[in-house]
Amino acid sequence: QVRLVESGGGLVQAGESLTLSCAASPRSFATTFTTYNMGWFRQAPGKEREFVGVKKWNGIVTFKDDSVKGRFTISRNNAESTVFLQMNDLKPEDTAVYYCAAWSQWAELTTAPKIWGQGTQVTVSS
């Protein structure tokens, strides 16, 4: 019933920027959305899906490591039930399918997300 739909993927050159969006529906989910931890995963060709980062319901942000910290920003617009991933200085190794994901507010982030989006392709050319 609850869906997360990503958008904004595409083809860019190394060093450029891209912003991904993830919108939750239906509208009746909006109140619950504000209590959820919203994050991003990615899966590169030939690799396992990996955690990228999360912005918790209380605003705390965690990134996987320094390879994305400082380049990526996660923001939320709770009024629109939307989470964003702003990616700057993109590198070829950022090429992947990016997935939006949601956890309930008290779930450990090491557990599997409750809800997944369908993914959006980001391709960075060198």
Side-chain angles (χ1 to χ4, degrees), residues 13-113:
Q13 294 182 330
E16 295 183 339
S17 299
L18 198 64
T19 298
L20 307 181
S21 299
C22 171
S25 65
R27 189 59 190 168
S28 59
F29 182 69
T31 299
T32 303
F33 178 92
T34 68
T35 73
Y36 269 49
N37 302 317
M38 301 298 303
W40 295 88
F41 290 73
R42 68 185 182 186
Q43 187 167 17
K47 300 182 67 176
E48 298 294 323
R49 187 175 300 186
E50 67 175 355
F51 171 79
V52 175
V54 62
K55 187 163 190 174
K56 297 180 69 176
W57 72 277
N58 59 7
I60 296 175
V61 175
T62 301
F63 289 106
K64 74 183 193 76
D65 57 36
D66 289 343
S67 71
V68 300
K69 181 178 177 63
R71 295 192 298 122
F72 290 9
T73 301
I74 301 175
S75 59
R76 301 174 61 147
N77 185 337
N78 285 337
E80 301 293 335
S81 296
T82 304
V83 63
F84 304 92
L85 180 65
Q86 171 69 47
M87 302 182 289
N88 301 127
D89 190 25
L90 282 163
K91 305 176 185 301
E93 53 263 40
D94 295 318
T95 294
V97 177
Y98 283 72
Y99 298 89
C100 179
W103 299 257
S104 61
Q105 68 180 103
W106 302 120
E108 295 289 338
L109 298 181
T110 53
T111 65

